[in-house]
Amino acid sequence: PQLYVNGELVGGCDIVLEMASDGSLKETVAGAVAKSKEALHARLKALINKAPATVFIKGSRDEPRCGFSRRVVAALAETGADFETFDILEDEEVRQGLKEYSDWPTYPQLYVKGELVGGCDIILEMAADGSLKETLTAA
């Protein structure tokens, strides 16, 4: 067997066992995990800021794949404002990583100017009181 970390060969069985005994294996793997997490956070930040308003949903704007996503897309569309969608079902890394990044455990998630606005209930409340359109048009 051979161990690869971030696409780089660390070594075979003997080297890995030696690294495990001297503690360097743990450091190597921990460093790779930290770099991977940093890269994911940078990617998430770029996705969030890709457009003035981005909503992370199950499915697409044209084909939402759950009731919550369908209601959010409808509420956003009713405002007439431009918004982007990202299908979290197409990218498990984004799906899991965004929950941690935002400290928001469910989807949909709406971001305006890079800031989390909220999920389905908040978006629908904002649509009902008119503040959703204000928030999106200010973007």
Side-chain angles (χ1 to χ4, degrees), residues 33-120:
V33 169
K35 285 180 185 174
S36 177
K37 203 172 219 178
E38 287 173 17
L40 176 59
H41 279 214
R43 182 171 175 229
L44 293 172
K45 188 172 183 175
L47 287 170
I48 288 165
N49 289 289
K50 180 180 172 186
T54 303
V55 63
F56 292 81
I57 62 172
K58 294 178 180 176
S60 66
R61 178 193 308 238
D62 296 329
E63 290 187 46
R65 293 179 58 188
C66 81
F68 298 111
S69 295
R70 188 171 291 107
R71 286 182 282 201
V72 166
V73 167
L76 292 169
E78 282 182 27
T79 68
D82 288 332
F83 64 95
E84 295 288 325
T85 61
F86 184 92
D87 183 358
I88 60 163
L89 298 176
E90 296 293 319
D91 193 321
E92 188 65 21
E93 184 179 49
V94 169
R95 181 180 183 174
Q96 296 305 322
L98 193 59
K99 291 178 189 181
E100 181 182 318
Y101 181 89
S102 65
D103 197 25
W104 195 271
T106 60
Y107 289 100
Q109 291 184 19
L110 173 63
Y111 290 81
V112 175
K113 294 183 179 175
E115 297 293 321
L116 176 65
V117 173
C120 185

